[in-house]
Amino acid sequence: MAERPLTLMAVHAHPDDEATSTGGVLARYAAEGFTTVLVTCTDGRCGDGPGGVKPGDPGHDPAAVVAMRQDELEASCAALKVTHLETLGYADSGMMGWATNELPGAFWTTPVDEAADRLAELMHRYRPDVVVTYDENGFYGHPDHIQAHRITMAAVARTEIPAKVYWTTVPRTAFAEFGRVMQELGVEWADPDDPSTQEGPPLGLPDEEITTWVDTSAYGGQKFDALATHASQTENIFFLQLGRERFTELMGMETFVRVRDTSGAPLPEDDLFAGLR
């Protein structure tokens, strides 16, 4: 029997999250012949509707938004050559403090054990060697990102299947460049190094705390295309305004913190599958 291909599983909260922080690694490892599995936990109903209609505004139809964002997610997976897409289908909880946090079926109010059981079933099915998700703050404090972190870590603890687990992050040194680009695009930008502008924990990590730097610049075009498929959310996906070349320059390195490892691969590393190939 042929040896099973190595497998990457990325666990994300909403349609479009897969492209932003892991589009490069999903495209790269698919191109290298590995199996890639995307798990999207929510249906994205709290995103913008057609014409940019905001949640809660007249004309925002959550069911229509769900259908639209599912189509966009499938197109993104096609752009990134994702092998398997799994959707858990929980209701998008919206931003922290929104009334939608507490609605029946919202991911934020779903018991962690219940959702972790479902994710553990997928881990048993796909046997991922590497799992990627968010840190305990969901990177920027979104309730669905925090919940995705919780269920992923619970499923990993139950199954002990992945050899390596990573949390996405951004190096603090990158924020200065992000700030310059945001100014260029006319987007309001809070300096993560200015405590007066931060409501939650600081964004990103000092460079020396980042364990894994993966060069995905060769797949920048695919990442750009994947993000562009989420056309309904373009107001929030402002990086597309950079154009393909500058986007790749800015977003061509994806960075992670390794939090579980049975491979013994030394740190720092430049490959999520270091020690497993």
Side-chain angles (χ1 to χ4, degrees):
M1 184 179 293
E3 188 176 343
R4 180 184 66 86
L6 290 167
T7 299
L8 168 66
M9 175 180 282
V11 183
H12 282 290
H14 311 99
D16 78 31
D17 290 331
E18 79 290 337
T20 308
S21 59
T22 59
V25 291
L26 286 168
R28 171 178 165 170
Y29 292 118
E32 291 183 10
F34 297 171
T35 299
T36 55
V37 182
L38 170 63
V39 181
T40 302
C41 296
T42 80
D43 57 15
R45 67 179 55 222
C46 289
D48 293 351
V53 179
K54 302 297 181 186
D57 286 352
H60 187 276
D61 179 354
V65 173
V66 168
M68 175 179 64
R69 298 197 73 184
Q70 178 66 25
D71 289 343
E72 292 174 343
L73 178 61
E74 291 173 6
S76 174
C77 286
L80 298 172
K81 309 299 184 188
V82 168
T83 316
H84 303 285
L85 169 64
E86 296 286 348
T87 55
L88 299 186
Y90 293 107
D92 186 345
S93 309
M95 299 299 287
M96 191 69 82
W98 287 13
T100 47
N101 292 177
E102 306 301 326
L103 291 179
F107 190 38
W108 183 236
T109 60
T110 298
V112 169
D113 283 348
E114 175 191 314
D117 280 344
R118 295 182 61 196
L119 184 57
E121 288 178 12
L122 294 176
M123 289 185 182
H124 281 295
R125 183 187 309 171
Y126 292 110
R127 312 294 299 182
D129 302 281
V130 174
V131 169
V132 176
T133 192
Y134 316 103
D135 64 18
E136 60 267 64
N137 189 48
F139 183 64
Y140 70 101
H142 193 296
D144 289 332
H145 288 231
I146 294 169
Q147 189 77 328
H149 161 85
R150 290 172 177 170
I151 74 163
T152 302
M153 300 313 293
V156 167
R158 285 173 202 195
T159 64
E160 296 192 341
I161 289 172
K164 305 176 84 174
V165 177
Y166 294 90
W167 297 344
T168 59
T169 192
V170 173
R172 293 266 171 82
T173 53
F175 280 112
E177 179 62 20
F178 285 155
R180 283 192 290 273
V181 170
M182 293 305 97
Q183 276 190 327
E184 221 178 276
L185 298 176
V187 176
E188 189 175 338
W189 177 254
D191 183 352
D193 290 328
D194 181 355
S196 68
T197 65
Q198 296 302 312
E199 296 179 2
L203 296 179
L205 288 173
D207 291 33
E208 62 272 15
E209 293 182 24
I210 293 174
T211 64
T212 311
W213 304 68
V214 184
D215 183 355
T216 63
S217 55
Y219 306 93
Q222 281 177 260
K223 183 172 177 173
F224 183 92
D225 290 343
L227 205 54
T229 66
H230 297 283
S232 66
Q233 311 303 309
T234 49
E235 181 178 319
N236 299 319
I237 306 173
F238 37 75
F239 286 120
L240 293 175
Q241 298 174 45
L242 295 169
R244 188 184 302 266
E245 187 174 335
R246 286 204 63 209
F247 173 89
T248 299
E249 290 173 3
L250 189 68
M251 307 287 282
M253 181 72 72
E254 293 183 350
T255 49
F256 307 87
V257 175
R258 193 174 82 190
V259 295
R260 171 182 165 86
D261 175 59
T262 62
S263 73
L267 295 175
E269 58 188 3
D270 60 4
D271 178 8
L272 296 181
F273 288 88
L276 300 176
R277 294 176 184 263

